Amino acid sequence: RITASLTPAWAASSRIVIETPRLKGSLNLRGARIDDLVLTSYRESLDANSPPIRLLSPSGSPDAYFAGFGWTGEGARLPDADTLWRASGTRLAPGSPVTLSWDNGSGQRFAIRLAVDENYLFTVQQSVANAGAGAIAVRPFALVSRVGVSKDPDAWTMHVGPIGVFGDAAEYGVDFDSLIEEGPRRFNTTGGWLGFGDKYWLTAIVPDARGAVEAGFRGAGNRYQADFTPAPTILAPGRTATYQSRLFAGAKEVALLDRYRSELGIARFDKAIDWGWFYWFEKPIFYLLDWLFRMIGNFGLAIMGLTLIVRALMFPIAQKQFASMAAMRVVQPKMKVIQERYKDDKPRMQQEMLKLYQEEKVNPLAGCLPILIQIPIFYALYKVLMLSIEMRHQPFVLWIKDLSAPDPLTPVNLFGFLPFTPPSFIAIGVLPILVGVTMWLQFKLNPQPTDPVQKQMFALMPWVLTVVMAPFAAGLQLYWATSNILTIAQQKWLYSRHPGMKVAADSQ
């Protein structure tokens, strides 16, 4: 069903219906454009009456966004954006392809055969038959055109905008602004793909991987285009030339992108998701989390299960960390004596400290290792929650309806009883408060720094992080709070196994 804002563009053209289990829309016979698509599996918001995500819209409508196919060349009249094609059917669906045809009246017949699978992939076969008296030069092209930039923010942790794979490498260095300020970006490549990516959605054209193409991006005003074209073909009389490409228009689902990459040979198609530095680590985290979700049925519980698995794998290292920290508590009185004795001789103080560490077999840096190991895990989960559409709109319990969004319940407005929505920088939710409290409890169990500046920093850190974490995804806050609680339990267990360490800690 076309939306009200698109009605004028819809009424002014002839169309055939596009219908798959996950797509609904239409194809414009004028210009052979796929320019009306909604994603039936996804809605704009959590509201029960929220409309499905609209991906493509006709030219002339607000936020026009479409894919088109055609030819350039010499020696023949070619179809253009005003050409009205004739269709072999009225409905494009899985197992029901449609062929568009047009005769230029001078001996050349053009055809575009379109097929679609049960997800988001169109296969496009462009052919031209030359029944004229002389040879012609033709080259097919495919393009994706959009008006305006993405509504999703483009940041260093998440690329949004022009995206593609050229020469077996993903290109994240082109953005909307650079196309206007610096001009077109062109690439010569064999295989690959290109298009425009939003946070969760992608529209990309995929050339035949067996031949070289010229591809790239261009922009003018508020209109942007991704396109490719292979080398021209000299078509003698009586001959036919055919070129096959693909169009992806849908959600960036991890397993689906991986399947298209492996089964259809679309080079690095999984890089449509900007996984970043820890790509090799983030995808296993995603697949483990996704498996836990399918097993448990609740994504919040899956995050807690992932946290438990991570903590179990790190248990031996963590035990060494806690033992080292507890041992540091034991030697702190001796450290204070050395610091007082050699407070005016810093080099000698350092020598005596090292000697003490060796005699007592303690390592002040041992406690840093588990924290360093958790950094890529934390970052990987952050990227998974931020980028993976599988996590979008996933609920946990009670007020947490979307774990990919910040915790909405905050004491700043008395948990919703006061009729105002506080700014995001002070809207500190329940989960970030829980992160701060559990971190404070964790620090209380650790040996206190002897340096008063460090001691003050550690005292303030939990509450600073409470504010810093407030805008982050609730799922990330849930992971951190769960990890802190498990750490506290681990420390308590260690002290129960080594009472002497606890006595030494309490005596300070």
Side-chain angles (χ1 to χ4, degrees), residues 126-187:
Q126 298 170 249
S127 62
V128 53
N130 183 15
I136 62 171
V138 291
R139 58 192 303 181
F141 69 80
L143 63 84
V144 174
S145 175
R146 70 181 293 165
V147 171
V149 303
S150 173
K151 294 179 175 62
D152 299 322
D154 183 20
W156 70 272
T157 55
M158 177 183 67
H159 175 73
V160 166
I163 186 173
V165 165
F166 309 99
D168 204 37
E171 175 59 64
Y172 300 118
V174 183
D175 56 40
F176 291 112
D177 290 340
S178 67
L179 291 179
I180 302 299
E181 296 169 2
E182 302 172 14
R185 288 288 302 275
R186 310 303 295 174
F187 304 87

Side-chain angles (χ1 to χ4, degrees), residues 3 10 52 67 136-137 159-160 185 204 306 350 360 367 382 408 416 436 460:
T3 61
W10 171 276
I136 62 171
H159 175 73
V160 166
R185 288 288 302 275
L306 173 69
Q350 294 299 323
E360 300 291 341
Y382 164 70
L460 290 174

Side-chain angles (χ1 to χ4, degrees), residues 130-402:
N130 183 15
I136 62 171
V138 291
R139 58 192 303 181
F141 69 80
L143 63 84
V144 174
S145 175
R146 70 181 293 165
V147 171
V149 303
S150 173
K151 294 179 175 62
D152 299 322
D154 183 20
W156 70 272
T157 55
M158 177 183 67
H159 175 73
V160 166
I163 186 173
V165 165
F166 309 99
D168 204 37
E171 175 59 64
Y172 300 118
V174 183
D175 56 40
F176 291 112
D177 290 340
S178 67
L179 291 179
I180 302 299
E181 296 169 2
E182 302 172 14
R185 288 288 302 275
R186 310 303 295 174
F187 304 87
N188 293 311
T189 183
T190 299
W193 53 272
L194 71 159
F196 296 101
D198 300 300
K199 182 177 181 179
Y200 294 124
W201 328 113
L202 174 70
T203 305
I205 43 179
V206 185
D208 189 330
R210 296 170 295 180
V213 297
E214 180 194 354
F217 308 97
R218 62 190 87 222
N222 69 335
R223 181 179 174 181
Y224 304 89
Q225 181 172 298
D227 57 71
F228 74 78
T229 183
T233 298
I234 305 301
L235 195 60
R239 303 300 296 269
T240 298
T242 300
Y243 186 83
Q244 180 171 296
S245 61
R246 291 186 169 92
L247 166 70
F248 178 93
K252 297 193 290 189
E253 299 168 1
V254 178
L256 185 61
L257 297 178
D258 282 345
R259 181 158 68 84
Y260 285 148
R261 181 200 61 189
S262 60
E263 294 181 3
L264 301 180
I266 303 178
R268 299 191 179 277
F269 204 41
D270 55 331
K271 290 298 187 75
I273 300 173
D274 181 12
W275 293 105
W277 301 327
F278 297 106
Y279 165 84
W280 55 272
F281 190 67
E282 288 160 18
K283 289 192 70 176
I285 288 285
F286 165 80
Y287 276 115
L288 174 57
L289 193 55
D290 189 57
W291 177 81
L292 288 170
F293 170 57
R294 286 184 280 108
M295 293 297 103
I296 298 171
N298 181 290
F299 197 72
L301 295 178
I303 291 175
M304 297 175 74
L306 173 69
T307 312
L308 188 60
I309 291 172
V310 170
R311 299 301 305 186
L313 292 174
M314 293 176 58
F315 185 80
I317 299 173
Q319 287 302 95
K320 289 183 179 180
Q321 173 205 17
F322 298 146
S324 175
M325 287 163 48
M328 286 292 292
R329 282 179 178 261
V330 175
V331 301
Q332 273 191 357
K334 297 180 181 180
M335 292 170 58
K336 289 179 180 179
V337 171
I338 293 173
Q339 289 169 344
E340 183 63 30
R341 181 178 299 170
Y342 301 107
K343 61 183 178 181
D344 297 325
D345 188 352
K346 298 296 183 182
R348 180 67 185 276
M349 181 193 297
Q350 294 299 323
Q351 292 176 3
E352 294 297 325
M353 284 287 192
L354 289 174
K355 184 179 178 181
L356 176 65
Y357 296 153
Q358 292 172 353
E359 291 174 351
E360 300 291 341
K361 296 182 173 58
V362 296
N363 182 357
L365 299 179
C368 300
L369 183 58
I371 297 174
L372 293 175
I373 292 175
Q374 280 208 74
I375 289 174
I377 298 172
F378 186 77
Y379 183 74
L381 187 62
Y382 164 70
K383 294 283 280 190
V384 165
L385 289 169
M386 183 174 68
L387 297 179
S388 301
I389 193 170
E390 291 80 359
M391 319 310 169
R392 181 178 182 262
H393 292 175
Q394 288 293 345
F396 178 35
V397 293
L398 301 175
W399 71 94
I400 300 177
K401 307 298 183 183
D402 184 1

